[in-house]
Amino acid sequence: MRWLVGWSSTAARALGAETAGATGYDGETLRPVGSHLLWGDPDPLWAVGDWRPDEVRVVHADAQNRIAVLGICGASDEELRRGLFTARGGALRHLTAWPGSYTAVVQAGRRITVCGDLAGARPVFHAPWEGGTAYATAALPLADLTEANLDFGHLAALLAAPEVPAALRDTTPYEGVRRVAPGHALVLRAGAREIAGYEPVASLAVAAPPADPDRAVDAVRDALVEAVRVRLAAPRHVPGLDPGPVPGMGPAERRAARGMPVPGIGADLSGGPASGTLALLAAGLPGRPGTLLGHGTGAGERLLAVTFNDLAVGGREAELERAGALAANPRLHHVVVTGAEDTLPYADLDGPLTDEPGPSLVTAARHRTRLAAGSADHFTGHGARQVLDAHPARLADLLLDRQRRHLVRPVAALTRADGSVLVPARVYGAARRLSRTPYRTGLEALAERLMRRRFDEPKGAVGASLAALTWARPGPAARWLTGEALAEVSVLLQTGADRAAGGPGQRPGEFRARTVLARHAADLRVLEQAAEVRSQRLHAPFLDNQVVRACRDLPEALRVKPGARAAVLRTVLEGAGVTDLPLGWGTPSHASSAAAARTGLRLAADSLVDLFDTPLLADAGLVEARVVRKALREAAAGEPLPLDGLADLVSLELWLRRLLARRGTCWTGTPARARAVPAGIAPQRGALRAGARPS
């Protein structure tokens, strides 16, 4: 886990760089464990964790003006210097417009600016401390610093309405630790904080000028190619030396058994369009994209493509066949990783403590099996669906823009999937209602649903689309929460509705798409920490700022066409010179993931029931243990319950147990007790009331 942390104090202290940090207990200097100081007092900044040398850059204009960039950034030192001078005048957007995935911190005198990203994969957190403000790119270090307790209101909202910003607000699982929203920056002036948005806000009164589809797709191609190129241009890193042979094991098997990735660059190759696009782009761009000479296969220009073959659950034969056809490219070295029952979801629930909870905790071991066979720098297609696909609520955006004719194709596809002649009228009616529903009314309707425990939704593809045609909807785990927890979240929503008289400043489809992207990016961040392989970096170019911006500029009419994502990525590959794609490339497939989740839940049912024998979630007043145990048994028996809701419950229970079982803290200069949640969770009713107060 890698993060940066610093603070802005109210008074300047004349301490040198060697003594940066506050005075802790017994006169010991307070500073992060395992940290590297980037600049010193009065407003110090540290990089913590196993950062590579090329991932941390600091450019100075003078002693009081400097910029630090942590991560993969395509800007040169001169561009960073120009960006620093521009940021001194208050302009921030250009700090987020360089290719790559990074966090930029600018110090101009006593003013500190920390920029978050657009997707939410690289968030920024802050908390009041010692009369000033501490900030970090992880929430747990700030919780340790302030000895924060759990925010039960946030945990309740995370289960009841995980995609509703009005419920989550800017809170985190830790009381007093706040999150900077995607597309915003944290600005600190001598300890005082301000949240500033850096993206232009489109007017709702006037429709945006029609975008040229060809030009928009070309922009996506350019952004995606540049995102891949900047990672190929970074220095290559060889993991730690192989300690030596093991009888009966080859080099690749030794690396996998010891948790060491293959040197060089690789990519997932699932057979889907997103991972396939990245693998083919990385293999085809100039340079030496594959393994280093003398390591691995010995073919210096081949890129390692990893395909996961689940032997325990079928249904992916067509995808595996397409992956094999793509891997016939001579610039790819194909590796197939097989998984049995021990790699199913819920099979292995041991893992490290992550910064925040997320549903991917129940599948982390499954992903770790695949990633252990990957490269030191590994491309993944995460985020492509969220940035390219059309959320069903975008149909209402088309009606707002008077583009009714573009509803024909998506509605026709839903009609073919359902087989009912009533589908067009139902979908059009739901889209029309949403286009005429104010945001405040949508929040009030969700608050009413939670209070009255109305969670039944239509089934099938049409039902899912109809359920999504709303400003806000309950989470899949909401049905198992206690009445008290639902009431607290309902109060938060009603308070948010009172404050949201003007709406969120976006159309409903655009708004819902951004909330879904933020939810996915947050869970991907959890997955990276839970499935982390030592010396490996996961790259998700689809979540880079410039790629997200280019995808947001795609016309609505193009997005809503069936198969739009595959068509856009096919055009991207054609523009990069890749035209020979296998038959059926881009065909969506979700059945295998659902089947794997259900099979894993069935096999692990007994251990999961034991997990909820005396759950911490029940001590916190969020669930009743017997209700969750009953739901787990019913789901294992094949009852049609929302499996993603059970994953939310199990992952949150696991995270709470790991958090309370940890020892030590992220800081020196404090006694062992100075850590997050020092008193644990005391069984009590009404635990949510203190944490659910509006901020």
Side-chain angles (χ1 to χ4, degrees):
M1 183 174 172
R2 292 162 298 281
W3 38 280
L4 63 87
V5 62
W7 58 65
S8 177
S9 56
T10 55
R13 293 189 303 271
L15 297 178
E18 296 299 323
T19 59
T23 302
Y25 293 85
D26 300 326
E28 186 179 357
T29 301
L30 179 64
R31 60 190 306 159
V33 175
S35 62
H36 170 66
L37 184 67
L38 299 183
W39 59 63
D41 284 318
D43 303 314
L45 175 67
W46 292 274
V48 186
D50 59 336
W51 292 96
R52 295 172 175 174
D54 58 287
E55 291 177 331
V56 180
R57 287 194 290 164
V58 180
V59 174
H60 296 258
D62 52 52
Q64 298 297 321
N65 296 274
R66 45 202 168 188
I67 180 173
V69 175
L70 290 89
I72 300 294
C73 179
S76 64
D77 287 352
E78 184 57 33
E79 288 175 317
L80 292 180
R81 189 171 287 105
R82 289 199 301 267
L84 169 60
F85 291 140
T86 307
R88 290 171 59 183
L92 300 179
R93 188 175 187 271
H94 69 285
L95 297 176
T96 68
W98 297 308
S101 178
Y102 56 89
T103 301
V105 184
V106 173
Q107 183 184 47
R110 293 301 311 282
R111 186 179 67 189
I112 303 290
T113 303
V114 191
C115 294
D117 66 338
L118 288 176
R122 301 183 71 94
V124 178
F125 304 90
H126 62 92
W129 182 74
E130 294 291 327
T133 300
Y135 63 91
T137 53
L140 182 58
L142 298 183
D144 280 347
L145 184 65
T146 60
E147 295 188 276
N149 288 310
L150 289 171
D151 187 336
F152 297 109
H154 176 85
L155 298 181
L158 201 60
L159 294 174
E163 295 178 1
V164 184
L168 295 173
R169 300 162 292 155
D170 63 346
T171 57
T172 67
Y174 313 100
E175 198 170 36
V177 179
R178 303 292 178 176
R179 181 195 314 271
V180 176
H184 290 70
L186 174 66
V187 182
L188 304 174
R189 293 179 176 88
R193 64 182 178 272
E194 174 190 353
I195 307 299
Y198 55 75
E199 285 294 282
V201 179
S203 172
L204 293 180
V206 180
D212 181 10
D214 295 335
R215 187 169 299 177
V217 174
D218 289 344
V220 173
R221 180 200 62 208
D222 294 342
L224 200 55
V225 168
E226 191 62 29
V228 174
R229 193 192 307 276
V230 72
R231 289 167 169 85
L232 296 182
R236 305 296 166 78
H237 293 269
V238 180
L241 297 177
D242 192 337
V246 176
M249 283 189 179
E253 294 171 316
R254 289 201 305 270
R255 279 192 297 266
R258 290 166 174 162
M260 296 170 55
V262 177
I265 292 181
D268 286 339
L269 189 63
S270 65
S275 63
T277 297
L278 294 178
L280 293 174
L281 283 179
L285 289 177
R288 302 174 63 83
T291 57
L292 301 176
L293 283 174
H295 297 271
T297 63
E301 295 187 357
R302 292 208 291 174
L303 179 138
L304 181 67
V306 180
T307 299
F308 182 75
N309 183 13
D310 191 351
L311 302 179
V313 178
R316 295 189 62 243
E317 291 76 10
E319 282 194 4
L320 293 173
E321 185 177 347
R322 288 194 292 272
L326 291 171
N329 187 318
R331 294 179 66 85
L332 295 177
H333 173 60
H334 195 207
V335 172
V336 178
V337 179
T338 58
E341 291 183 352
D342 58 339
T343 62
L344 286 170
Y346 305 100
D348 182 5
L349 296 181
D350 292 331
L353 172 66
T354 57
D355 190 43
E356 296 181 279
S360 60
L361 289 180
V362 301
T363 59
R366 181 179 180 86
H367 290 282
R368 195 182 304 117
T369 301
R370 181 189 80 256
L371 296 174
S375 296
D377 288 277
H378 199 77
F379 286 95
T380 68
H382 287 286
R385 189 186 311 277
Q386 287 71 27
V387 299
L388 288 172
D389 284 10
H391 191 280
R394 287 190 183 271
L395 299 180
D397 294 359
L398 291 174
L399 293 180
L400 287 172
D401 292 337
R402 300 183 182 277
Q403 300 184 39
R404 294 180 178 85
R405 65 183 185 280
H406 296 299
L407 271 67
V408 174
R409 288 191 179 182
V411 171
L414 289 173
T415 303
R416 289 192 298 270
D418 187 83
S420 172
V421 296
L422 300 178
V423 168
R426 295 171 64 195
V427 173
Y428 180 81
R432 188 168 180 266
R433 283 193 300 273
L434 177 58
S435 67
R436 298 185 174 189
T437 301
Y439 176 64
R440 176 174 181 171
T441 303
L443 292 183
E444 291 173 343
L446 176 59
E448 182 70 13
R449 286 189 64 180
L450 294 179
M451 286 294 292
R452 297 185 178 275
R453 304 186 71 92
R454 297 202 306 263
F455 304 118
D456 293 333
E457 294 179 344
K459 307 298 182 183
V462 175
S465 297
L466 293 175
L469 281 164
T470 178
W471 278 105
R473 60 185 295 191
R479 66 186 64 217
W480 295 299
L481 295 186
T482 61
E484 180 190 13
L486 293 175
E488 295 288 352
V489 179
S490 178
V491 170
L492 287 175
L493 290 170
Q494 291 171 352
T495 304
D498 293 338
R499 296 180 177 181
Q506 300 168 36
R507 288 171 168 77
E510 181 185 2
F511 175 75
R512 289 297 308 278
R514 295 194 183 203
T515 60
V516 170
L517 174 61
R519 167 75 164 164
H520 175 80
D523 190 48
L524 175 61
R525 179 170 173 265
V526 172
L527 176 63
E528 288 178 343
Q529 298 168 12
E532 184 177 20
V533 176
R534 184 179 179 183
S535 301
Q536 185 180 67
R537 296 291 187 270
L538 295 186
H539 301 285
F542 285 102
L543 298 180
D544 287 6
N545 284 343
Q546 290 300 81
V547 178
V548 171
R549 286 190 177 104
C551 292
R552 285 179 177 175
D553 289 339
L554 291 172
E556 301 284 354
L558 175 62
R559 285 182 183 275
V560 299
K561 293 180 181 178
R565 172 162 42 102
V568 169
L569 295 180
R570 184 186 295 271
T571 305
V572 168
L573 288 176
E574 289 175 352
V578 180
T579 57
D580 189 16
L581 297 175
L583 186 65
W585 185 84
T587 304
S589 174
H590 306 289
S592 60
S593 299
R598 188 168 294 280
T599 302
L601 181 63
R602 177 174 55 82
L603 295 177
D606 292 339
S607 62
L608 294 178
V609 169
D610 292 341
L611 180 69
F612 282 89
D613 186 25
T614 55
L616 295 175
L617 288 175
D619 292 343
L622 298 176
V623 301
E624 293 185 15
R626 61 177 182 82
V627 173
V628 179
R629 291 196 298 266
K630 178 182 177 183
L632 290 170
R633 293 191 185 99
E634 290 177 347
E639 293 292 327
L641 296 176
L643 300 182
D644 46 355
L646 293 174
D648 288 343
L649 289 173
V650 173
S651 60
L652 184 51
E653 177 67 22
L654 287 172
W655 182 80
L656 288 173
R657 289 175 181 248
R658 294 174 188 175
L659 178 65
L660 296 185
R662 71 188 287 248
R663 294 293 181 265
T665 175
C666 295
W667 298 85
T668 63
T670 64
R673 63 177 176 81
R675 61 177 184 270
V677 199
I681 299 178
Q684 57 182 334
R685 303 295 294 178
L688 301 176
R689 197 161 291 123
R693 289 192 299 268
S695 60

